Amino acid sequence: MADLTEKQMDKRERAKERREKRRQEISLLRSIPYSEHQRWWSAETIAVVTGANRGIGFEIAHQLALQGVTVVLTSREIAVGEESAKVLQEGGLKVVFHQLDVLDQESIDTFCAWIKENYGGIDILINNAGFNHNVGSENSVEFAEKVIKTNYNGTKNMVKAAIPLMKPNAAGARIVNVSSRLGRLNGRKNRISDDALRQKLEDADSISEELIDATINKFLEQAKDGSWTDGGWPQNNTDYSLSKVAVNAYTRLVARELADRPEGEKIFINCYCPGWVKTAMTGWAGQVTPEEGADTAIWLSLLPDMRISGKFFAERREIHF
Ligand code: NDP
């Protein structure tokens, strides 16, 4: 038993060392500026970030603006969003604010009409808005509906509304969905126990919106009648993990649907895990800063010679779903 504990500690130490090494590599990569021939974007390039008034979303808006893109910082609360945008505008960055609640269709429609009229469309969409009621090891499902609606339906609402607005662009338009490793289908510690369901959700060729919605709805029903604990759902942050399983599956589904678009009209859609980030969502208990958590979103948004779609990333590398 003592041996096992030592082995486990060794494994943890090694994982910690690997994480730290990658963190240093990324910090180095971030210090290398994009060269002129890599920069397919300009101040005419329009990036929209949801839930950008704070946390990772604010940092994504900040770093995209630092790269010279025009950023539309959105937030459901007007006053806080305007304040956040002002901070970046005062730093000389091209950032504009617009109200956007990803769960309110009227707000989405108003936003889309405004962006079409003022900018002709969107080049980069970052679906960052999210919610998790539990902090640490808590696992209440009291707010399961809000968690799933915000993370999954909010992302879906925005993808559906934005696709017709994505601008033709030789480098390809980009959609980045902020997800989480907690939503991995084949995570060792935290996964759906039904092998057949996992396989169906993993199969990019046959996955459907109906399957994703049916999976989520089954969980929500069980969350309401109390039977969810025996449902074979992920054990850790159950509602949140499932919301991100759904985001990941939906990312692959949309990538498949968009795959046949002609050159010049390509839209690349991917998802990523920002790591465990020090934000309000984690009670500021994460391992990395919001700047670091934003990095892979910026990398995916600006990647020159982009050909990748329907994949899952973390720390600028592809990871398994
Ligand atoms: P925060 O709680 O700091 O920020 C969440 C943001 O989402 C806020 O701006 C919030 O707005 C916004 N939001 C919530 N609901 C809506 C809505 N209906 N419409 C528009 N905006 C909304 O969290 P983080 O910055 O940590 O999280 C950002 C993303 O990163 C989320 O998708 C999260 O799941 C993901 N993530 C975070 C991790 C972490 O360790 N922090 C780990 C893995 C993934 P308001 O201020 O009005 O509430």
Side-chain angles (χ1 to χ4, degrees), residues 86-133:
K86 202 165 132 211
V87 172
L88 301 179
Q89 288 156 354
E90 283 173 356
L93 298 173
K94 272 196 92 172
V95 174
V96 286
F97 169 74
H98 200 281
Q99 193 276 344
L100 178 60
D101 182 333
V102 298
L103 291 182
D104 176 350
Q105 197 54 49
E106 208 179 307
S107 163
I108 296 174
D109 292 344
T110 305
F111 174 76
C112 287
W114 172 83
I115 202 127
K116 177 93 184 139
E117 184 167 336
N118 288 277
Y119 298 99
I122 304 172
D123 296 283
I124 300 167
L125 169 66
I126 313 284
N127 285 310
N128 164 80
F131 176 66
N132 185 8
H133 173 68

Side-chain angles (χ1 to χ4, degrees), residues 76 101-105 108 146 149-151 153-154 157:
R76 56 184 172 171
D101 182 333
V102 298
L103 291 182
D104 176 350
Q105 197 54 49
I108 296 174
K146 183 174 170 190
K149 281 234 156 82
T150 307
N151 300 348
N153 298 82
N157 293 343

Side-chain angles (χ1 to χ4, degrees), residues 223-295:
K224 269 190 207 133
D225 70 22
S227 63
W228 66 280
T229 44
D230 299 322
W233 305 110
Q235 304 77 15
N236 178 357
N237 283 254
T238 304
D239 51 9
Y240 180 80
S241 296
L242 269 174
S243 75
K244 298 298 191 181
V245 165
V247 167
N248 287 0
Y250 188 66
T251 303
R252 306 169 94 189
L253 165 66
V254 177
R256 186 186 78 210
E257 290 172 350
L258 294 173
D260 293 337
R261 286 172 76 101
E263 277 311 320
E265 291 176 30
K266 294 273 184 213
I267 303 174
F268 300 105
I269 179 166
N270 292 288
C271 49
Y272 92 105
C273 174
W276 189 35
V277 189
K278 293 178 206 292
T279 64
M281 188 175 280
T282 56
W284 288 274
Q287 278 159 336
V288 298
T289 62
E291 288 92 324
E292 292 171 300
D295 175 73

Side-chain angles (χ1 to χ4, degrees), residues 151-197:
N151 300 348
Y152 169 53
N153 298 82
T155 297
K156 196 158 77 159
N157 293 343
M158 284 310 297
V159 169
K160 287 188 178 187
I163 284 177
L165 294 175
M166 299 308 278
K167 293 206 251 176
N169 173 348
R174 322 279 170 102
I175 301 176
V176 179
N177 295 330
V178 185
S179 187
S180 167
R181 284 181 177 91
L182 284 172
R184 282 178 112 165
L185 274 174
N186 296 312
R188 259 179 306 133
K189 289 192 209 142
N190 189 49
R191 63 183 188 186
I192 295 172
S193 64
D194 180 343
D195 292 343
L197 176 58

Side-chain angles (χ1 to χ4, degrees), residues 285-304:
Q287 278 159 336
V288 298
T289 62
E291 288 92 324
E292 292 171 300
D295 175 73
T296 300
I298 312 307
W299 178 73
L300 283 168
S301 299
L302 301 181
L303 207 59

